[in-house]
Amino acid sequence: MVTGDGAYIKKINRSLILKTIIEHGMISRAELAKITGLNKATISIQVAALLEEDLIYETQQEHNAVGRRPIMLSIKRDVGYVLGIDLDYKEIQYTLSDLLGYPVHHEKIFLDSEDYEEIVLLLVEHIQKYHKNCSHSRYGLISTVIGIHGTVNKEEEDIFFIPRYKWHSKSLKSDLKEKVNFDLNIHIENNANLSSYAEKVYHYHKSDNLLNIILSSGIGAGIMVDGHIHKGYHGYAGEMGHMIISPEGALCKCGNHGCWELYAAEPRLYEQLAQRLDKPVITQNEFYNLVNEKHPIVYEEMEIFIKYLSIGLNNIINLYNPETIVLNSEVLQAYPNVIEKIKGNLVSSVSQYGEIVLSKLGKDACIMGACAIAIQNFFEVPELIFSDSEKHIPFTNHKIEILNN
């Protein structure tokens, strides 16, 4: 039983009510009481407060039954916005989301520079632009969460290392807060952690033990244990690309030999194909065309790629016994029957897992996870579920016009 003073209990009840309204999209007071177990008086008091804060609104449902039409409660999704940012190598993606996790604006910019100070100023410029364009809403721009393709300290949220930029020990959060000309909640998080969170929030709601493996620039993993992101002691858990699978293998930039990402990350596959096909590079579109043509060299290299991918997955499965493994890879999306082929390589009688699936979010996973975490923090709910249910109010006409100056 939860005990505490009245203010604490009220906060718990508020969180439970908001969580339930978000999950169901539209719900009556009676259903709220039934699902949460709270009495009608508590529901009435809490709902009145949320209406006054402009966080929810009421609608009256049409129905053919005799009697009074039920009054439904929904989140007022356009009273505030959150900004998700994916800071990748040579590009930055920005997604502005309403309070139900629906994107209302998205843009991608390409970078000419790898200089930390220049990129900080660019981030500041865009954050301030989004803040200005959200000023019409009651709560404005509530928060921004930035996904980093590297290691992030969990206490101060400082960047420990971003391999492709070669940035060491950068206080991005502090630098942004110092330069942004208004008060804003800013959080920094590893991209794989955000991606795993997005997979749970948007698709795999009931999977409390979920692993999200990203095979793009290297191999990173987001780990959900008992419904929470597992970060490890410093915050650096999930760097599974540097698990050694071949002790006498190739030298990795990390200093070890035979790291997993040297054999089962997408760049390695493209390098191998370019070498065997005697081309300087292989583009993504060229790869897709070659797969569609069933080019024998591509199929040979893909079988090798899947073999090494499966070796790493076998190790991870034995370590974590996951319920759901989500593989985020455009290469795997393009290859036929790939999940069956991977499962065929996982033959150990010891290794146990629930399911292996391909990500439905793809490259948007990081940025959608960033938006979702910002929304969860704003509402202060213990768990966030964005359902695809038709009960959600359809997204209609509140897109944000973003100014360029």
Side-chain angles (χ1 to χ4, degrees), residues 23-147:
E23 181 177 349
H24 288 78
M26 298 177 67
I27 190 168
S28 68
R29 287 171 173 80
E31 280 297 305
L32 261 180
K34 181 179 178 182
I35 292 170
T36 63
L38 300 174
N39 62 49
K40 292 181 180 180
T42 299
I43 294 289
S44 295
I45 292 169
Q46 290 282 352
V47 165
L50 292 171
L51 286 168
E52 186 176 346
E53 292 174 51
D54 211 22
L55 291 177
I56 63 174
Y57 69 99
E58 297 176 316
T59 53
Q60 200 160 36
Q61 287 291 90
E62 296 289 342
H63 73 137
N64 297 321
V66 176
R68 189 175 178 183
R69 291 181 295 173
I71 295 174
M72 309 298 284
L73 305 170
S74 301
I75 295 294
K76 199 163 187 181
R77 58 200 292 177
D78 58 354
V79 293
Y81 299 90
V82 296
L83 180 63
I85 301 176
D86 184 356
L87 175 55
D88 203 348
Y89 184 66
K90 294 290 188 179
E91 69 178 47
I92 307 176
Q93 292 189 73
Y94 300 86
T95 289
L96 191 72
S97 162
D98 67 19
L99 295 183
L100 279 180
Y102 288 74
V104 298
H105 188 272
H106 177 82
E107 67 177 316
K108 179 191 291 187
I109 64 168
F110 296 95
L111 302 173
D112 297 324
S113 172
E114 298 180 20
D115 181 73
Y116 174 76
E117 297 298 336
E118 289 184 33
I119 292 175
V120 167
L121 291 176
L122 190 62
L123 287 167
V124 169
E125 177 188 336
H126 279 75
I127 289 169
Q128 291 181 164
K129 177 180 69 175
Y130 279 98
H131 173 256
K132 180 179 179 181
N133 285 273
C134 293
S135 60
H136 69 282
S137 62
R138 174 164 177 172
Y139 292 97
L141 182 61
I142 293 162
S143 174
T144 185
V145 176
I146 304 174

Side-chain angles (χ1 to χ4, degrees), residues 298-308 335 341 345:
V298 173
Y299 271 60
E300 285 176 23
E301 288 298 327
M302 277 301 298
E303 293 301 317
I304 296 170
F305 181 81
I306 289 170
K307 180 186 79 172
Y308 281 115
Y335 197 66
K341 291 177 183 292
N345 285 314

Side-chain angles (χ1 to χ4, degrees), residues 178-359:
E178 181 183 325
K179 291 178 173 60
V180 169
N181 61 11
F182 60 96
D183 187 34
L184 178 68
N185 287 320
I186 297 174
H187 296 284
I188 312 297
E189 183 58 88
N190 170 265
N191 71 303
N193 287 344
L194 293 175
S195 297
S196 65
Y197 184 76
E199 296 292 351
K200 177 171 173 57
V201 168
Y202 286 92
H203 291 293
Y204 304 101
H205 310 314
K206 296 181 180 179
S207 183
D208 284 341
N209 294 280
L210 180 148
L211 278 171
N212 180 62
I213 312 293
I214 302 174
L215 307 174
S216 52
S217 56
I219 298 180
I223 309 166
M224 301 288 293
V225 176
D226 295 333
H228 300 284
I229 297 173
H230 176 70
K231 297 185 180 183
Y233 178 59
H234 293 102
Y236 309 148
E239 292 298 317
M240 293 179 183
H242 297 286
M243 169 175 52
I244 296 170
I245 64 168
S246 178
E248 306 303 322
L251 177 65
C252 181
K253 290 179 180 178
C254 76
N256 285 322
H257 286 263
C259 290
W260 189 27
E261 69 178 37
L262 297 180
Y263 301 88
E266 291 176 1
R268 178 62 175 172
L269 174 66
Y270 287 140
E271 288 171 10
Q272 288 292 104
L273 287 174
Q275 184 177 338
R276 290 198 62 186
L277 296 170
D278 196 24
K279 292 188 174 187
V281 294
I282 293 289
T283 67
Q284 191 177 82
N285 286 336
E286 286 176 321
F287 172 77
Y288 292 160
N289 291 334
L290 290 167
V291 169
N292 290 333
E293 293 167 8
K294 298 185 178 180
H295 195 290
I297 289 178
V298 173
Y299 271 60
E300 285 176 23
E301 288 298 327
M302 277 301 298
E303 293 301 317
I304 296 170
F305 181 81
I306 289 170
K307 180 186 79 172
Y308 281 115
L309 173 60
S310 302
I311 291 171
L313 288 178
N314 184 77
N315 294 339
I316 293 168
I317 289 166
N318 285 330
L319 282 170
Y320 289 101
N321 181 218
E323 181 180 356
T324 304
I325 302 172
V326 183
L327 300 177
N328 194 321
S329 166
E330 294 183 341
V331 160
L332 296 181
Q333 290 281 3
Y335 197 66
N337 303 316
V338 70
I339 296 298
E340 288 73 16
K341 291 177 183 292
I342 291 169
K343 288 180 178 178
N345 285 314
L346 302 174
V347 296
S348 170
S349 60
V350 176
S351 301
Q352 298 295 317
Y353 60 92
E355 60 177 344
I356 301 177
V357 296
L358 294 177
S359 172

